[in-house]
Each structure stands twice: as structure tokens, then as C-alpha cells.
Amino acid sequence: MMEKLKSLRKQRGYTQEYMSKIISTDVSNYSRKESGDVRIYDDEWEQIRFFFKENFVLRKRQIILF
């Protein structure tokens, strides 16, 4: 799941530093979230989804884009 998030971020040209500001956390925490070491909470997923303007859902810890 996190690989899709990382791929989407890179595809759009955003840094981890920029994304950390979107969910109001520090860069090292965002990095750990993106790598799967730290949980991304539902409210953070909503902020990410709104930011990317993507329609995706989380199913069984996978990002499903549609």
C-alpha cells in the first residue's frame, strides 16, 4: 500500500517534506509513515486523498485507485 502512496507522490513531483506539511507532521515521521513503520490515521488519509484529488479507497491495507 505504501509503495502506491510513494509512487503517486513521486509521480506528482512532491517531496516527503512537502507531504509532511499536508498532514501536519515532521519529515521523519512522514517518512516512517510512508515506509509503513508508523500508521497513517484515517484523518491523514483523508487529507492525502483530498490533496491528490484522487478517488481511492483503502481495502485490506491496500490503496485502490479508481
Side-chain angles (χ1 to χ4, degrees):
M1 171 167 66
M2 296 307 138
E3 272 305 310
K4 283 191 179 180
L5 176 59
K6 183 177 182 178
S7 175
L8 185 60
R9 174 182 61 78
K10 286 185 170 190
Q11 190 176 51
R12 302 284 173 91
Y14 299 116
T15 63
Q16 286 185 337
E17 181 178 11
Y18 189 80
M19 293 303 297
S20 71
K21 292 176 182 172
I22 299 301
I23 63 170
S24 302
T25 191
D26 59 65
V27 179
S28 64
N29 193 36
Y30 179 82
S31 178
R32 290 190 311 265
K33 288 176 181 282
E34 193 176 80
S35 70
D37 295 335
V38 174
R39 179 177 182 222
I40 298 177
Y41 292 96
D42 290 343
D43 63 320
E44 294 170 329
W45 277 119
E46 285 302 314
Q47 291 169 322
I48 292 168
R49 188 166 74 177
F50 181 78
F51 172 74
F52 280 124
K53 295 176 178 55
E54 289 289 334
N55 291 318
F56 65 76
V57 294
L58 300 174
R59 265 193 209 130
K60 296 183 182 176
R61 301 187 55 85
Q62 293 183 357
I63 297 173
I64 311 295
L65 296 171
F66 57 92

